[in-house]
Each structure stands twice: as C-alpha cells, then as structure tokens.
Amino acid sequence: MKKLAFILLTAVFTFPLFANNPSDTTIVIENRKIQVIDEENRLRVRVFERTEENDYVEQQLVFEGHYRDGVVHERRHISRTVSIPVPATQRARRERRFDPHWTGIGFGFNHFASDDVSLNAMRSMEFTWNIHERAVPFSRNFGLVSGVGLTWNRFHLSDNVHFVRVDGVTVVRPADEGVDFTRTRLGINSITVPVLFEWQIRTQHNRRNYLYFSAGAVGNWNYMSRAKVRFDNPQGQRRNETTRGRDLNVRPLTVDFMAQVGISNWGAIYAKYRPLGLFENDRGPAINPVSLGIMLHL
C-alpha cells in the first residue's frame, strides 16, 4: 500500500512538468492499473483492479484522486462484493441438471426396407407410449437413458395378399380366386426397454431451450401379434379371419436401432430400424421394418 501511495504522489506532483504536452499516462503495478489523466484545470488519478481475465474494467474502480489548484481530493470505491447463497428454485435446479428424453407419446409410419412385400404406408402406423424413464448422467449435457414403454405396430399390405403358414414356414400368398381383401394386416404389440446415449447442446444465455440428439438400441418383447384379413366372399358376405402371430413365426424378442433429434421438451423426430427382421430365421420372409415419426415428451 505504501508503494501504491508513493506512485500516486509521484504521478500527481510530476505530471504538471509535462503540461505543455498533455497526454494520458497508464502505469501497471502488480494487479492494479493506475491511470493519470490531464484535463485542463485538473489532474485525475484513477486506480483499477485487474479481473481474472487480465482485463481492466471501469466497474472495478477502487480509487480516484483529483489535483486542482494545489489541493488533492480523493474518493475511494468499494469493489468487493459479498455473495449470499440463496436456495435454488425448482426451475433453476431443473435447468442445471441432465434432463433425459424418453417418456411421452409418439406417432409414426411403418415401412419395409426391402421391396419383397409392399405396404400401404398411409395405413401402416406405429403408436408409442413411453411411461417411465431413468438416466445415468455423465455430465450436465451427456448421459445414458433407459426406461419402459409400450408400442403398437400395424403393417397393412397394399396388394391383394396375406401372410399364411405353409409347412411351418410363413409365406405371402395372394387371395383365393374371387376373393378381394378389403383389409390385410399384421399387428404387433410390444413392451420396450431402451438403452440410449443422449447429448444436449445448451447455450449460456438460454438453458431452458436446447437441442438434443440421442441414439442407441431399443429392445422389444412382442407379447402379442396377429394377422387379420377382411374380405367379401362370393356370396357377398363380409368375413374376418384372424391368425395368431406365434403361428406365423413372428420373433418374440427383437432389437431396433433408434435415433432422435429434438428441442427441449417440445418434441422430437425419430427413426428406427430393425436389423434382425420381423420373422424368425428361415421361417418367414426376410423383412426389416423401418419407422419414422414424431415424439411429444411429457
């Protein structure tokens, strides 16, 4: 402090020697910046504290002195602030933590990756209700997401064909002569368990609204599946025939690859692909379902 006072006095009493060539002078001593300003009838000396970024800002002015008509006037400024911890609100805590995206409702359309079987894409739908989620956060913006959900898939064939089992193998066959199918579909209900990695992109000024990506695998237990056809027989009578899915060699356990991108809890676009196929190996056509839809996270 004595060194600083000495510099201030030196600056005040030696600066008038250079009055014929007025200019501003800046002196840096340790963590302070001393600024000497010549303003016609007075001389100003200002002291600033250095910030952590090694910059000098006016808000951290700690001393200001004026020299006028042989009289020195000084003014001190308090730059130290005391922070008082305040309990965080629920909203603030939610903005600081990792927020997974699995629970919610979804709607999408199904398709087959191969062209061996043609689907009516506008009627082949997927409905999703994810009822529980858990997360293992690795950081505030990255984590592992799991949970439980329910999915209902409907695959409507577009041609006048249906699934039928012949000698223990599921095949696609056309309708009998004189029979015109008004509906031919395969329905599968599943319980799902995901294992997804999620990455969230947040900004410093807007932590509530952020972009996120997630990708991984979703396991499916196909607890119920059945094929159903509706047609008018030659006598003009409407008939329904139902075949249980287990009699059509539908896989009871499957895995989907899933990826989704969304904004906060507003919603997301997702895509899924089933690499193992819809039917068991060598017991049905090689069909790999694909679905694309939207999710509303709750």
Side-chain angles (χ1 to χ4, degrees), residues 173-288:
R173 278 196 170 180
D176 296 336
E177 185 177 356
V179 175
D180 187 14
F181 290 140
T182 58
R183 175 179 297 179
T184 170
R185 74 177 186 188
L186 174 65
I188 300 177
N189 299 347
S190 310
I191 296 177
T192 59
V193 176
V195 179
L196 304 173
F197 290 96
E198 182 172 322
W199 179 39
Q200 301 172 356
I201 303 176
R202 301 173 185 264
T203 63
Q204 185 69 24
H205 303 289
N206 191 351
R207 296 187 177 277
R208 295 187 62 194
N209 301 322
Y210 53 89
L211 187 69
Y212 70 89
F213 302 89
S214 66
V218 179
N220 305 282
W221 172 40
N222 303 319
Y223 65 90
M224 195 281 289
S225 56
R226 63 182 181 180
K228 186 175 183 179
V229 295
R230 178 181 296 175
F231 61 92
D232 295 331
N233 60 18
Q235 289 75 32
Q237 299 174 337
R238 175 155 295 186
R239 297 191 56 185
N240 294 315
E241 291 186 0
T242 300
T243 304
R244 291 184 178 179
R246 64 172 177 266
D247 296 330
L248 292 175
N249 305 315
V250 174
R251 290 181 185 269
L253 298 175
T254 57
V255 176
D256 295 338
F257 293 150
M258 177 178 177
Q260 66 175 350
V261 55
I263 300 177
S264 303
N265 290 327
W266 294 359
I269 299 175
Y270 74 87
K272 292 195 292 188
Y273 172 71
R274 185 167 300 178
L276 296 179
L278 196 60
F279 300 97
E280 297 175 355
N281 292 336
D282 302 323
R283 302 186 67 184
I287 297 175
N288 300 92

Side-chain angles (χ1 to χ4, degrees), residues 6-279:
F6 174 75
I7 293 296
L8 290 176
L9 292 175
T10 303
V12 169
F13 290 106
T14 61
F15 198 85
L17 298 176
F18 304 95
N20 293 330
N21 186 19
S23 61
D24 296 343
T25 301
T26 300
I27 304 171
V28 177
I29 300 178
E30 296 180 350
N31 66 335
R32 290 182 173 86
K33 181 178 75 170
I34 304 171
Q35 190 178 60
V36 183
I37 306 170
D38 184 14
E39 297 179 343
E40 295 183 356
N41 297 327
R42 69 173 177 174
L43 189 67
R44 298 174 60 196
V45 179
R46 311 182 78 191
V47 181
F48 298 87
E49 283 194 344
R50 186 166 52 189
T51 64
E52 294 180 358
E53 292 77 17
N54 237 16
D55 294 329
Y56 298 93
V57 293
E58 185 147 343
Q59 286 75 7
Q60 290 185 304
L61 179 67
V62 296
F63 175 86
E64 184 175 13
H66 300 260
Y67 175 78
R68 177 184 296 174
D69 299 329
V71 180
V72 178
H73 305 273
E74 65 178 48
R75 181 174 53 189
R76 299 184 180 274
H77 300 261
I78 298 176
S79 61
R80 296 287 188 268
T81 58
V82 179
S83 59
I84 301 175
V86 179
T89 62
Q90 183 177 0
R91 171 179 167 182
R93 289 194 298 267
R94 184 170 58 250
E95 292 175 2
R96 289 198 300 265
R97 72 185 184 187
F98 177 79
D99 187 16
H101 295 84
W102 171 254
T103 57
I105 56 176
F107 169 80
F109 294 95
N110 289 315
H111 196 66
F112 289 151
S114 62
D115 296 330
D116 297 337
V117 180
S118 179
L119 278 184
N120 185 336
M122 297 305 298
R123 299 183 64 183
S124 299
M125 300 178 182
E126 178 180 66
F127 299 94
T128 302
W129 179 28
N130 298 330
I131 57 180
H132 179 69
E133 68 182 16
R134 297 289 292 180
V136 180
F138 303 121
S139 69
R140 185 173 57 185
N141 299 322
F142 182 71
L144 181 67
V145 180
S146 187
V148 177
L150 301 173
T151 301
W152 297 266
N153 281 289
R154 299 296 179 262
F155 303 95
H156 285 261
L157 305 182
S158 59
D159 299 327
N160 196 33
V161 297
H162 65 136
F163 292 108
V164 63
R165 183 172 176 174
V166 179
D167 297 330
V169 179
T170 301
V171 297
V172 179
R173 278 196 170 180
D176 296 336
E177 185 177 356
V179 175
D180 187 14
F181 290 140
T182 58
R183 175 179 297 179
T184 170
R185 74 177 186 188
L186 174 65
I188 300 177
N189 299 347
S190 310
I191 296 177
T192 59
V193 176
V195 179
L196 304 173
F197 290 96
E198 182 172 322
W199 179 39
Q200 301 172 356
I201 303 176
R202 301 173 185 264
T203 63
Q204 185 69 24
H205 303 289
N206 191 351
R207 296 187 177 277
R208 295 187 62 194
N209 301 322
Y210 53 89
L211 187 69
Y212 70 89
F213 302 89
S214 66
V218 179
N220 305 282
W221 172 40
N222 303 319
Y223 65 90
M224 195 281 289
S225 56
R226 63 182 181 180
K228 186 175 183 179
V229 295
R230 178 181 296 175
F231 61 92
D232 295 331
N233 60 18
Q235 289 75 32
Q237 299 174 337
R238 175 155 295 186
R239 297 191 56 185
N240 294 315
E241 291 186 0
T242 300
T243 304
R244 291 184 178 179
R246 64 172 177 266
D247 296 330
L248 292 175
N249 305 315
V250 174
R251 290 181 185 269
L253 298 175
T254 57
V255 176
D256 295 338
F257 293 150
M258 177 178 177
Q260 66 175 350
V261 55
I263 300 177
S264 303
N265 290 327
W266 294 359
I269 299 175
Y270 74 87
K272 292 195 292 188
Y273 172 71
R274 185 167 300 178
L276 296 179
L278 196 60
F279 300 97

